[in-house]
Amino acid sequence: MEIDPFIFRLSIFILSIFIGYYVVWSVTPSLHTPLMSVTNAISSVIIVGAIIASLSGNDDAIFTSSSIYGFLAIILAAVNIFGGFLVTQRMLAMYKKKKKDK
Amino acid sequence: MSANLSAILYLVSGILFILALRGLSSPETSRQGNLFGIVGMIIAISVTFLSVGNFSSGFIYVLIFLAIGGSIGAFIAYKIPMTAMPELVAGFHSLVGLAAVLVAISAFINPEAFNLGSPGNIKLASLIEMAIGAAVGAITFSGSIIAFLKLQGIMSGAPITFKGQHLLNALLLISILILTYYLCSTQLSNLFWILVAISFLIGFLIIIPIGGADMPVVISMLNSYSGWAAAGIGFTLENTALIITGALVGSSGAILSYIMCKGMNRSFFNVILGGWGGSEQSTNNQSKEQRPVKSGNADDAAFLMKNASSVIIVPGYGMAVAQAQHALREMVDTLKKNGIKVSYAIHPVAGRMPGHMNVLLAEANVPYDEVFELEEINNDFANADVAFVIGANDVTNPVAKTDPQSPIYGMPVLDVEKCKSVLFVKRSLSPGYAGIDNDLFYKENTLMLFADAKKMTEDITKNL
């Protein structure tokens, strides 16, 4: 009997939850705010769905009822991607070690 | 681009996202981690363009909208003050949620574009995944909007409760399940729209009863939801990058909520069912008698600190409100010049989001190796001369260790009272968020400094 591809995706999903579990426990508590902003940025990878949706039309009908939702989603996800990564970078740049010599 | 190749490249970007989170295990590796995340995102987006392969004029619009969103995001990222980070994160979560809803709607209207069948005849599994993605996305969206409004102060942080609230929420959740079932058997688009509308309503209803200081839990929880929404959409699109990322973000948010709940010694359900603070207040007022309080001024505080050999600073949300982090750093610099050892003690739930205080201190150029977590530093209070509590309250309340009747009993607190002397900067004697009196105020060795946190810190620096 053949295995449904869904099962493979489900396996990836479950294993990723475990990876996430162990990786996130190793995040130092002082970086929990950057953790939130970076997870926020990467979850915007949902933009791939938005791109597929927005390119569903053709040259004659770029803006169909479904592609408009896609374009809107692209804007939202793009705000998140740029905003999320840049604000994380800005925060992380502030974490400095003690200067040895004063 | 072949489907296999793009699947492998999506896997690569998923792995880069894992490395991005892994990097956050220490500040040194974190910046590199962020870079991995950016590369992963670029790969995912480029692969999508190549695998769709439709370079019609629609493609130009995609780039235009990407640029519009990107510049808005970049603008916000550079302008936002660090004290507003909780609002920003809540706002960003709402965008992920809404994007998930939009993608799900688009897939429902035009399933052919996603290879999911035809309208009215969508594959069963895809339809369920779509419904889950849309519902969780909608809950994330409206919940985050409420969290944003509460954090921003546009909406009162006080919990909003009414009779039958939990029953209503439960009924709505059940109705979502029933709707999903009927949606799958009938494929009626109206059911889909009702499902989305009810989900928006649920998100709104579950966040309004939760009070301002529970926001660390709420933000982490919504972070988790945004991940599950992304994963739901990932299943619909059969996209590994999305599935991996969704799972990572989902578990990350869940762990953060767990840590925050543990920091308050409350169960997750206790927080979610909400309404802390409001009801407790009334029971405590009657037992309140006038107890003597020692209060002092900046001069007294400066005198105490000058004669100390070690000082521990305990910052809380009040420091963020007063924007006192830079003034605090200046004070500490002066203390250090006088050869006094200074460290910072951070309670897990200090502030309005996980790690809030650490970011503010980092912004004020406080080296991160002077900042300690509760477990690391709690034993040091007994050996320290002065504890300087600025903007924190409930997290220092010794009642949590002594009075089993207290609502915060059992919550881990900073052992501030073990210091030789305690300086407590506060505007008035009013109780903190939990609505209970802080015993620390009346201790023999506590000196209350009634003033705005920033002004008081500046005055102390002048007097040092």
Side-chain angles (χ1 to χ4, degrees), chain B residues 47-115:
Chain B
V47 171
T48 312
F49 281 142
L50 293 174
S51 58
V52 174
N54 172 1
F55 292 97
S56 65
S57 28
F59 184 69
I60 311 286
Y61 285 100
V62 170
L63 293 182
I64 292 173
F65 287 119
L66 197 64
I68 294 175
S71 20
I72 298 172
F75 179 77
I76 297 173
Y78 281 111
K79 284 281 163 198
I80 193 92
M82 284 299 145
T83 40
M85 211 43 77
E87 293 94 300
L88 178 78
V89 170
F92 277 173
H93 287 156
S94 74
L95 299 182
V96 178
L98 192 56
V101 176
L102 293 173
V103 173
I105 292 176
S106 179
F108 185 77
I109 300 177
N110 187 3
E112 282 116 333
F114 297 86
N115 282 324

Side-chain angles (χ1 to χ4, degrees), chain B residues 171-462:
Chain B
L171 285 177
L172 287 173
L173 276 174
I174 294 168
S175 73
I176 287 214
L177 296 179
I178 297 173
L179 276 169
T180 311
Y181 175 79
Y182 278 109
L183 177 67
C184 293
S185 54
T186 62
Q187 304 247 358
L188 284 173
S189 57
N190 279 344
L191 291 177
F192 185 77
W193 295 113
I194 298 171
L195 180 93
V196 171
I198 291 183
S199 306
F200 278 128
L201 188 64
I202 292 182
F204 172 75
L205 285 171
I206 55 173
I207 305 300
I208 54 166
I210 305 180
D214 282 338
M215 280 304 147
V217 181
V218 171
I219 299 191
S220 320
M221 183 183 85
L222 291 166
N223 183 289
S224 181
Y225 285 3
S226 69
W228 304 131
I233 302 295
F235 276 104
T236 317
L237 306 181
E238 311 187 341
N239 183 307
T240 11
L242 254 176
I243 295 176
I244 295 176
T245 315
L248 289 178
V249 177
S251 51
S252 159
I255 290 173
L256 288 177
S257 341
Y258 170 78
I259 295 174
M260 293 301 114
C261 287
K262 220 179 88 198
M264 296 191 287
N265 189 38
R266 298 173 65 197
S267 75
F268 184 68
F269 286 102
N270 184 304
V271 176
I272 295 310
L273 297 178
W276 208 32
S279 52
E280 251 79 67
Q281 231 148 9
S282 51
T283 54
N284 265 287
N285 283 346
Q286 62 223 33
S287 65
K288 199 190 275 175
E289 69 229 57
Q290 286 294 318
R291 285 194 279 176
V293 172
K294 275 198 289 183
S295 82
N297 56 29
D299 205 16
D300 305 327
F303 178 77
L304 268 171
M305 285 207 255
K306 233 191 286 184
N307 291 307
S309 61
S310 69
V311 173
I312 299 179
I313 315 261
V314 182
Y317 184 58
M319 180 188 81
V321 175
Q323 302 264 16
Q325 65 272 31
H326 298 282
L328 182 67
R329 216 275 332 284
E330 277 163 32
M331 185 187 90
V332 170
D333 282 352
T334 321
L335 288 174
K336 280 200 231 158
K337 262 185 223 137
N338 291 322
I340 300 162
K341 186 175 165 275
V342 185
S343 38
Y344 298 81
I346 309 230
H347 191 275
V349 294
R352 286 291 185 267
M353 76 183 291
H356 192 186
M357 290 300 121
N358 303 77
V359 171
L360 294 183
L361 292 177
E363 188 200 8
N365 278 321
V366 173
Y368 62 81
D369 39 10
E370 286 176 11
V371 183
F372 299 93
E373 303 300 316
L374 177 105
E375 299 88 28
E376 295 173 314
I377 201 167
N378 227 3
N379 292 328
D380 296 354
F381 281 107
N383 305 321
D385 297 309
V386 175
F388 186 72
V389 183
I390 174 167
N393 188 356
D394 292 333
V395 298
T396 62
N397 197 340
V399 156
K401 289 175 289 190
T402 54
D403 179 10
Q405 308 290 262
S406 166
I408 62 166
Y409 181 70
M411 169 169 134
V413 287
L414 292 158
D415 297 334
V416 176
E417 77 282 357
K418 289 188 181 153
C419 272
K420 288 203 190 73
S421 41
V422 178
L423 295 170
F424 207 114
V425 186
K426 205 170 180 311
R427 264 175 299 198
S428 71
L429 268 185
S430 63
Y433 168 71
I436 45 170
D437 227 10
N438 193 339
D439 260 10
L440 196 62
F441 298 166
Y442 313 105
K443 293 264 179 197
E444 189 63 17
N445 57 349
T446 304
L447 188 68
M448 299 296 295
L449 305 169
F450 293 113
D452 172 72
K454 190 174 174 191
K455 197 171 171 303
M456 177 51 76
T457 322
E458 284 166 349
D459 288 350
I460 294 175
T461 316
K462 272 184 223 141

Side-chain angles (χ1 to χ4, degrees), chain A residues 4-60 62-100 102, chain B residues 17-18 21-22 24-27 30-31 34 37-38 41 44-45 48-49 52 54 56-59 61-62 65-66 69-70 72-74 77-80 82 85 88 92-93 95-96 98-100 102-103 105-106 109-110 113-114 129 193 219-220 223 228 230-231 233 235 237-240 242-245 247-249 251-252 255-256 258-259 336 353-356 358-359 362-363 365 367-370 373:
Chain A
D4 191 319
F6 171 79
I7 302 300
F8 290 118
R9 285 190 283 276
L10 189 67
S11 320
I12 294 173
F13 179 64
I14 308 273
L15 291 175
S16 303
I17 292 178
F18 277 89
I19 293 173
Y21 180 85
Y22 289 107
V23 168
V24 171
W25 271 117
S26 73
V27 171
T28 161
S30 65
L31 291 177
H32 276 163
T33 299
L35 170 68
M36 301 204 81
S37 60
V38 86
T39 48
N40 192 40
I42 62 173
S43 58
S44 309
V45 72
I46 200 156
I47 198 167
V48 302
I51 293 172
I52 298 173
S54 54
L55 290 179
S56 59
N58 51 40
D59 275 337
D60 304 323
I62 295 164
F63 294 100
T64 62
S65 58
S66 76
S67 75
I68 287 173
Y69 288 110
F71 283 119
L72 283 175
I74 286 184
I75 298 184
L76 299 179
V79 171
N80 248 317
I81 293 172
F82 283 75
F85 281 124
L86 288 174
V87 88
T88 310
Q89 199 158 23
R90 207 180 124 200
M91 271 191 272
L92 293 177
M94 299 186 313
Y95 283 80
K96 289 184 204 94
K97 244 191 163 145
K98 193 166 11 189
K99 281 188 210 87
K100 286 275 145 58
K102 272 251 166 103
Chain B
F17 292 150
I18 295 173
L21 299 193
R22 183 76 188 94
L24 290 171
S25 56
S26 100
S30 62
R31 287 171 274 260
N34 199 38
I38 296 172
M41 187 61 73
I45 294 177
T48 312
F49 281 142
V52 174
N54 172 1
S56 65
S57 28
F59 184 69
Y61 285 100
V62 170
F65 287 119
L66 197 64
I72 298 172
Y78 281 111
K79 284 281 163 198
I80 193 92
M82 284 299 145
M85 211 43 77
L88 178 78
F92 277 173
H93 287 156
L95 299 182
V96 178
L98 192 56
L102 293 173
V103 173
I105 292 176
S106 179
I109 300 177
N110 187 3
F114 297 86
E129 291 151 7
W193 295 113
I219 299 191
S220 320
N223 183 289
W228 304 131
I233 302 295
F235 276 104
L237 306 181
E238 311 187 341
N239 183 307
T240 11
L242 254 176
I243 295 176
I244 295 176
T245 315
L248 289 178
V249 177
S251 51
S252 159
I255 290 173
L256 288 177
Y258 170 78
I259 295 174
K336 280 200 231 158
M353 76 183 291
H356 192 186
N358 303 77
V359 171
E363 188 200 8
N365 278 321
Y368 62 81
D369 39 10
E370 286 176 11
E373 303 300 316

